[in-house]
Amino acid sequence: MAEYLDQSKIQKLLRSHVPDIDEIIVEYVQGYLNDAATAIALSGEKDSSEDPIEDLIKPMLEDAASDEKKVATLCQQFSQMLTEVEQQANPQKRSAISKLAAPVNMAAQLAQIDKAAKAQAGTTDLAHAKGRTVASQVDVKKLRKAELRIAAKIEKRGVKSSRYEASKLINENPLDDDDLLMRVNPILDYTLSRDKIKDVKLEGFDISYAGKRILTNSNVHLVYGRRYGLIGRNGIGKSTLLRNIAHRELAVPTYISILFVEQEMIGDDTPAIRSVLKADIFREQLLRDEASINEELKKLDAPSPLDERGEVMSKHEIDAKKNEMGDRLNGIMTKLTEIESDKAESKAGEILSGLGFSALDFQRPTRSFSGGWRMRLSLARALFCRPDLLLLD
């Protein structure tokens, strides 16, 4: 890739303004600025929808430096460097005022535009004048309301075979955290997959978002037990890739459990420690089954128990049902012992304490916590259930 910026100059500026900066950050800023400069040089102008300096580089440098004024000065110099690349790529932008080559008849221009608009009535062109496609700037919240109104009208009319499809810009998953865990992890019994290879290898996949192809013929190889960082500028598709993996829209083996922490959990009346315990959906299912079987056994011990048809059961039927229930209960208790269910609450408490929660906070409803603390609860759930593949956005 061609270099449109002086990399040694960038390194000297970073070292002079942030003396203790790590080498890896220096290399990242150099590469990031060069990518931004390359995009400007090829398109002839900056992307008005994002500012790479303010959005990413400045916050990163502020974390690494103690003098915010020096960081601000440094970022101004980086912005000037990108501006110079833009001016070299598009000389017309060097001056805000330019002399017209010939007089322009504005009335004639307006008439021509109006005539062309009438000729093309009913069509919509979202292409830039230079031929570059402009990214959609749709207000998703307004679009969602409009889509809901249309869907309600279609339902009211009773149209069963409508071809109407809501915009893919608002195809968001409405499921809560627990329902989503159940949907993307069809194999609840994680003890069955302990001896399987849990590396994730995805090859030759494409991903599109809002009608725009963001990844083409791509490959991902994640080795089990390792940690990876996904780096790229804003809007390049990092979150979309993670979301596609998390929702198994890419071919991740079903025996690999996945947990995606994207935002703070939704607050409700559930106590904090209970919300963490619920993250282990296999344990929760076992406990529900145990409670259900115990309830059935109580009914069988009652005088003259009834069967499913409402008829009084014989002693032979009662004994056979008890044996069946007892075998199921033994299997459940074996699984609960295997996953150390009795230690779950103390383990959840240790995790919450490690994240800054006090013992009094354990019983507070999750809705009473701020967004930042609910994010910590999401992390606590992830640490508690220990998925094979943990994705943090």
Side-chain angles (χ1 to χ4, degrees), residues 275-328:
S275 71
V276 175
L277 292 170
K278 286 172 63 180
D280 190 342
I281 53 179
F282 179 50
R283 176 178 178 273
E284 289 294 302
Q285 184 64 52
L286 289 174
L287 292 175
R288 284 194 295 268
D289 291 344
E290 179 192 15
S292 176
I293 292 175
N294 285 328
E295 187 65 27
E296 288 292 328
L297 289 174
K298 286 183 181 180
K299 291 180 180 179
L300 292 174
D301 288 335
S304 303
L306 304 178
D307 60 15
E308 296 176 353
R309 296 169 296 180
E311 299 178 358
V312 177
M313 300 176 66
S314 66
K315 185 177 184 305
H316 174 72
E317 290 175 331
I318 294 174
D319 291 341
K321 190 69 173 177
K322 282 185 175 181
N323 289 335
E324 178 190 345
M325 292 291 182
D327 290 341
R328 286 181 57 195

Side-chain angles (χ1 to χ4, degrees), residues 9-288:
K9 180 180 179 181
I10 295 174
Q11 185 176 25
K12 289 178 181 178
L13 287 172
L14 286 167
R15 293 295 183 192
S16 62
H17 289 75
V18 189
D20 297 329
I21 191 169
D22 292 335
E23 182 62 30
I24 190 171
I25 298 180
V26 173
E27 293 177 359
Y28 178 74
V29 172
Q30 287 177 310
Y32 194 92
L33 287 174
N34 190 60
D35 287 346
T38 302
I40 293 171
L42 295 177
S43 64
E45 60 184 351
K46 293 180 180 178
D47 186 349
S48 59
S49 64
E50 63 178 26
D51 185 344
I53 307 296
E54 289 293 326
D55 293 344
L56 185 79
I57 292 180
K58 187 175 181 180
M60 183 186 297
L61 295 178
E62 286 176 343
D63 289 340
S66 58
D67 193 334
E68 293 185 0
K69 290 184 178 180
K70 286 187 176 181
V71 171
T73 302
L74 178 60
C75 289
Q76 288 176 0
Q77 294 183 30
F78 288 156
S79 295
Q80 181 59 34
M81 293 168 71
L82 295 180
T83 300
E84 291 173 358
V85 172
E86 182 182 26
Q87 291 174 349
Q88 292 174 3
N90 189 354
Q92 293 180 355
K93 289 206 170 189
R94 293 184 181 179
S95 174
I97 302 175
S98 60
K99 183 178 179 181
L100 294 175
V104 177
N105 187 332
M106 297 300 296
Q109 290 277 359
L110 289 173
Q112 186 177 0
I113 292 171
D114 183 57
K115 183 179 179 181
K118 290 179 179 178
Q120 297 179 359
T123 65
T124 303
D125 185 6
L126 294 180
H128 191 273
K130 294 182 179 179
R132 180 172 59 87
T133 300
V134 178
S136 172
Q137 300 297 321
V138 174
D139 186 325
V140 176
K141 292 183 179 179
K142 292 181 180 179
L143 177 61
R144 183 184 291 108
K145 291 180 180 178
E147 298 285 11
L148 290 174
R149 286 197 298 269
I150 295 172
K153 288 181 180 179
I154 291 175
E155 184 178 357
K156 186 176 181 181
R157 292 172 185 171
V159 181
K160 297 182 179 180
S161 59
S162 173
R163 293 184 179 181
Y164 174 76
E165 181 182 359
S167 171
K168 293 182 179 179
L169 288 172
I170 61 170
N171 280 347
E172 298 174 358
N173 198 315
L175 301 176
D176 62 23
D177 292 340
D178 297 325
D179 289 338
L180 184 58
L181 273 174
M182 293 282 287
R183 195 191 77 170
V184 302
N185 295 304
I187 300 178
L188 293 182
D189 189 352
Y190 46 77
T191 63
L192 299 177
S193 62
R194 284 178 176 170
D195 297 329
K196 294 188 176 182
I197 297 174
K198 296 184 180 179
D199 294 354
V200 175
K201 194 170 185 179
L202 308 171
E203 296 180 338
F205 63 87
D206 301 336
I207 292 180
S208 297
Y209 179 74
K212 180 182 178 182
R213 180 68 60 84
I214 59 175
L215 289 174
T216 302
N217 196 27
S218 303
N219 302 313
V220 170
H221 187 195
L222 305 176
V223 178
Y224 179 69
R226 292 186 182 178
R227 299 178 182 179
Y228 297 89
L230 193 57
I231 299 175
R233 64 185 182 185
N234 291 349
I236 203 168
K238 302 184 297 295
S239 296
T240 303
L241 172 60
L242 293 179
R243 198 173 293 113
N244 274 262
I245 295 175
H247 294 177
R248 296 189 189 274
E249 294 177 14
L250 300 177
V252 179
T254 54
Y255 61 81
I256 295 178
S257 59
I258 302 175
L259 180 60
F260 183 37
V261 180
E262 185 177 16
Q263 56 189 2
E264 70 271 11
M265 65 180 299
I266 299 173
D268 54 23
D269 292 326
T270 306
I273 193 165
R274 177 68 187 136
S275 71
V276 175
L277 292 170
K278 286 172 63 180
D280 190 342
I281 53 179
F282 179 50
R283 176 178 178 273
E284 289 294 302
Q285 184 64 52
L286 289 174
L287 292 175
R288 284 194 295 268

